[in-house]
Amino acid sequence: MRCMAAMILDGRALGRAIRDQVRREVEALAARDFVPNLVSLQVGESEPSRAYLASQKKACAEAGILYTHVSLDRNVTERHFLAHVDGISKNPEVTALIIQLPVPPRLDVSTAYRHMDPEKDVEGMHPANQGSLFAGKGGLLPCTALAARELVRASGTALRGKEVVIVGHSQIVGKPATILFLNEDATVTTCHIATRDLAAHTRRADVLVVAAGRPGLVRADMVKPGVVVIDVGMNYVEGAERPVGDVAFDEVSQVAGAITPVPGGVGPVTVAMLLRNTVIATAAQAARRGGGEA
Ligand code: NAD
């Protein structure tokens, strides 16, 4: 194994720079009486969403975005859940909506996405927005996948022609990341729980995006020297003070060319992307209501 210290991709600094830009765009919208207004809808409680909600609230306050957290009881019926999604979506004061994951498994979140106004869907999960992603168009695209691409760009790596390996094929991260990197003309391989020889794939990667929710899944002998590693994993392990990633950071950072830490990597950039999507959504609604160009 060749030993070198990887460039640490500082998600906090990148997130701050994006949020500064967002704040200026919010000021411009507010000057035209269009203040972005984000509602975060949660069902029940979970450790990861607690941390994500706290950063959303703080980041929105700093950027001048109105923010409301709506919390539903974990035993809410599907009918009531969907009624809330409908009500929030139809409220003209609200310009953006995020459904906080996870929701209890008995609720079908894909039905809820279809109930959302696609213009307010700042997670890019409505079928219309997924279609835009598939077609390689802009608009409201999934925040974590956008964050992964932004961090690769920050590493100075051009994606065209590169071998990109994504570990994880969830609806919210792995699949949209696959399409987003494909849209950059990278050669993309998507691995998942049924992949037979994970290391054979990860070792080929120029860019490795890991979103499996398995602490320390990727070890040093599974990557090639110089690889750019984006660790999406955010695992709450009993006894650990802080969340841990899906990549064994201490050893992989000795081999990789660039790597994101956990915490302080993908998380803060995901929040920044959520804010940027909120501004994009608000600007589009302002333009449609005759308030000028989006
Ligand atoms: P998920 O459970 O919905 O999906 C996990 C994926 O990983 C699945 O496709 C599964 O097939 C695959 N997988 C699981 N074990 C595997 C293994 N041993 N080998 C190969 N593939 C395997 O999870 P998710 O919602 O996509 O989240 C993944 C991780 O990313 C979690 O730790 C989550 O907390 C984190 N996350 C972080 C952010 C952020 O902003 N930092 C955002 C979303 C999710």
Side-chain angles (χ1 to χ4, degrees):
M1 187 194 305
R2 199 172 88 202
C3 276
M4 58 189 227
M7 177 204 296
I8 308 299
L9 298 170
D10 182 349
R12 291 200 177 104
L14 180 58
R16 201 176 307 118
I18 296 166
R19 286 187 281 115
D20 282 347
Q21 173 67 28
V22 164
R23 191 168 34 77
R24 287 191 285 277
E25 290 167 19
V26 170
E27 280 165 12
L29 279 165
R32 292 158 45 209
D33 279 338
F34 289 102
V35 179
N37 185 355
L38 171 65
V39 173
S40 183
L41 179 62
Q42 182 185 24
V43 185
E45 289 266 325
S46 82
E47 190 65 46
S49 56
R50 220 188 318 275
Y52 191 28
L53 282 161
S55 0
Q56 283 170 19
K57 187 176 176 185
K58 183 166 178 281
C60 282
E62 283 170 11
I65 294 173
L66 298 173
Y67 178 80
T68 310
H69 172 212
V70 176
S71 180
L72 304 180
D73 188 273
R74 65 182 318 282
N75 296 315
V76 68
T77 62
E78 177 129 34
R79 198 165 58 83
H80 270 96
F81 172 48
L82 294 178
H84 270 91
V85 173
D86 279 330
I88 296 166
S89 279
K90 289 186 180 133
N91 181 347
E93 300 294 316
V94 174
T95 63
L97 169 61
I98 172 173
I99 298 174
Q100 209 59 55
L101 294 183
V103 299
R106 62 188 175 75
L107 298 175
D108 178 12
V109 72
S110 61
T111 305
Y113 291 139
R114 284 198 297 277
H115 275 248
M116 288 171 79
D117 178 345
E119 279 199 339
K120 299 183 180 181
D121 164 33
V122 281
E123 274 189 304
M125 296 307 288
H126 186 281
N129 292 324
Q130 291 187 327
S132 291
L133 171 66
F134 211 78
K137 294 189 175 150
L140 298 175
L141 306 180
C143 305
T144 307
L146 286 172
R149 187 183 65 179
E150 211 66 33
L151 282 154
V152 174
R153 285 179 176 165
S155 76
T157 306
L159 280 161
R160 188 179 164 79
K162 293 282 161 49
E163 292 285 339
V164 175
V165 176
I166 316 266
V167 183
H169 72 338
S170 70
Q171 210 66 22
I172 192 90
V173 186
K175 282 185 195 168
T178 297
I179 305 299
L180 204 61
F181 285 103
L182 197 56
N183 290 346
E184 298 284 334
D185 289 338
T187 301
V188 187
T189 304
T190 309
C191 302
H192 45 75
I193 192 70
T195 297
R196 271 176 294 173
D197 185 353
L198 181 63
H201 295 284
T202 57
R203 276 192 205 112
R204 282 191 298 102
D206 301 312
V207 172
L208 179 60
V209 179
V210 192
R214 297 282 183 274
L217 174 69
V218 173
R219 309 295 303 259
D221 63 355
M222 295 169 70
V223 301
K224 77 174 176 192
V227 59
V228 175
V229 180
I230 308 297
D231 188 353
V232 178
M234 191 75 103
N235 305 293
Y236 292 81
V237 179
E238 221 178 299
E241 270 175 32
R242 304 186 306 171
V244 298
D246 289 351
V247 176
F249 181 89
D250 289 348
E251 57 183 66
V252 174
S253 59
Q254 298 303 309
V255 186
I259 188 167
T260 57
V262 177
V266 175
V269 186
T270 298
V271 174
M273 290 299 148
L274 177 68
L275 266 54
R276 185 189 270 175
N277 274 354
T278 300
V279 163
I280 292 172
T282 308
Q285 289 162 58
R288 197 172 37 72
R289 289 180 204 169
E293 286 300 304

